[in-house]
Amino acid sequence: MIGKQIEVLLIEDNPEEDLLIRSALAEKHVTSLTFDVESATTLNQGKDILGKGTFDVVLMDLQLPDSVGIESLEAVRHVAPEVPVVVLTGLADEELGVRAVQEGAQDYLIRGEVDANLLSRSTRYAIERHRMMETLRSLALLDDLTGLYNRRGFLTLAERHAKLAGRTGRGVFVVFVDLDNMKWINDSLGHKAGDRALKDTARALNSTFRESDIIGRMGGDEFAVLGIESYVSSSEAIPERLAQNIENMNQDADLGYQLSLSVGLARIASNETIALDTLLERADQQMYEQKQLKKRAR
């Protein structure tokens, strides 16, 4: 990181604190690094800036004009989970800083105790710790074959997204997918063909769902997706969109087999509270019923 310019987003509504932090990061004798600081005075403004720019770290106050407490941190991490966050608190709010670290912030700093050395060091370490944790997380939560989340990764992230949806008044949907005829593909065409079918299924899911949706391989030939419904789109159109993408793949590639998926969909409205396990069970049951209908139709 020697000689690198660190892009910092500072979310702070107090102009005096803003100036103090900028001045501390500008002290050249502290480090060989340089810091380019962009400021936001509200959570919504910070989220907008995060969505448009590329930052190495966020420094943020949790007591903002339009948001207070841990929800401010959660909102920032939802918009830019790849960016580490250092929380700024008052002496009386040190307990909130500790909780923020428990909820995903890399560090917290107490106003009045922050000097140029401490601020620079905390910012650098936050970036490095976050990078290391992301590397470890990817090793533990990703499926080697498809590049999707594995079962553990899916359940971990889906639980967080479902809780966030509940706080923001959004509906949640779960799609459960089973790759049809996997045993026949493996037995007749070999396990390389079976691996390709799993990879093609992952590709179809990635092309069907949004980048913000959580897509996982639950094990074997089963996949699951969790998404938060937007205000302008409905989950009801998803099975048809996925079927169309599968049909296009079957037409464009000489696979030696027809890729076919059985799909179940379950959703909860914004005013409902249902455990993620229950939602998965509902989608799984609907998927199973569709698979049985296919078998009876042969």
Side-chain angles (χ1 to χ4, degrees):
M1 200 181 285
I2 296 176
K4 174 178 168 54
Q5 177 169 284
I6 304 299
E7 302 295 332
V8 179
L9 174 61
L10 173 60
I11 308 178
E12 169 63 72
D13 65 315
N14 186 326
E16 293 182 0
E17 292 292 340
D18 184 292
L19 181 60
L20 285 172
I21 290 169
R22 284 177 173 272
S23 299
L25 290 175
E27 291 194 20
K28 301 295 185 183
H29 68 277
V30 173
T31 175
S32 61
L33 298 174
T34 58
F35 296 87
D36 181 35
V37 182
E38 187 166 351
S39 292
T41 57
T42 67
L43 175 64
N44 283 331
Q45 184 184 12
K47 287 162 60 179
D48 288 342
I49 294 172
L50 268 176
K52 297 173 184 176
T54 302
F55 294 90
D56 297 300
V57 65
V58 173
L59 302 177
M60 70 177 298
D61 185 4
L62 294 183
Q63 313 296 336
L64 296 166
D66 55 344
S67 181
V68 175
I70 293 299
E71 289 187 3
S72 304
L73 170 65
E74 291 176 339
V76 166
R77 295 192 71 235
H78 181 65
V79 172
E82 73 284 358
V83 181
V85 178
V86 175
V87 167
L88 305 169
T89 72
L91 184 59
D93 294 326
E94 185 172 2
E95 185 176 335
L96 180 62
V98 172
R99 186 182 166 200
V101 172
Q102 293 171 342
E103 294 294 329
Q106 288 299 322
D107 201 358
Y108 73 94
L109 298 173
I110 300 175
R111 289 190 183 85
E113 299 182 2
V114 176
D115 59 20
N117 280 296
L118 179 59
L119 184 59
S120 174
R121 186 166 64 248
S122 178
T123 302
R124 298 197 321 270
Y125 287 175
I127 295 170
E128 292 300 333
R129 279 198 301 268
H130 186 77
R131 186 176 299 159
M132 178 184 67
M133 289 172 63
E134 286 299 302
T135 299
L136 293 174
R137 187 176 293 115
S138 69
L139 292 174
L141 303 182
L142 295 182
D143 175 57
D144 290 338
L145 180 65
T146 64
L148 302 177
Y149 291 109
N150 58 26
R151 182 181 184 86
R152 177 185 177 193
F154 174 84
L155 293 175
T156 299
L157 296 176
E159 189 73 45
R160 293 179 184 175
H161 272 58
K163 288 180 179 178
L164 178 63
R167 294 192 186 105
T168 56
R170 308 284 282 277
V172 173
F173 66 85
V174 166
V175 177
F176 208 91
V177 175
D178 185 88
L179 174 57
D180 298 329
N181 306 317
M182 184 63 181
K183 185 177 186 305
W184 179 88
I185 294 173
N186 279 328
D187 292 346
S188 303
L189 303 175
H191 287 281
K192 285 187 178 180
D195 286 350
R196 180 176 177 181
L198 292 169
K199 292 177 183 178
D200 285 341
T201 300
R203 186 157 57 92
L205 293 172
N206 278 322
S207 65
T208 300
F209 293 93
R210 301 163 299 187
E211 187 174 346
S212 59
D213 296 331
I214 308 300
I215 309 175
R217 181 183 175 201
M218 304 301 282
D221 53 6
E222 293 183 334
F223 300 80
V225 183
L226 179 137
I228 298 176
E229 290 191 325
S230 69
Y231 299 113
V232 295
S233 65
S234 171
S235 58
E236 302 299 328
I238 287 172
E240 182 177 346
R241 190 162 69 242
L242 178 57
Q244 184 61 57
N245 285 334
I246 291 295
E247 183 179 342
N248 293 339
M249 289 179 65
N250 284 330
Q251 290 176 350
D252 293 343
D254 182 16
L255 300 174
Y257 55 85
Q258 287 288 296
L259 197 64
S260 173
L261 304 179
S262 293
V263 180
L265 171 67
R267 64 181 299 275
I268 55 173
S270 57
N271 60 348
E272 294 181 282
T273 301
I274 297 175
L276 177 60
D277 286 347
T278 302
L279 203 57
L280 281 165
E281 288 173 5
R282 291 181 181 179
D284 187 14
Q285 179 62 33
Q286 191 183 101
M287 179 278 295
Y288 177 78
E289 291 171 0
Q290 186 186 97
K291 184 175 283 288
Q292 295 306 305
L293 284 174
K294 287 181 179 180
K295 289 181 179 179
R296 288 196 292 268
R298 289 175 186 169

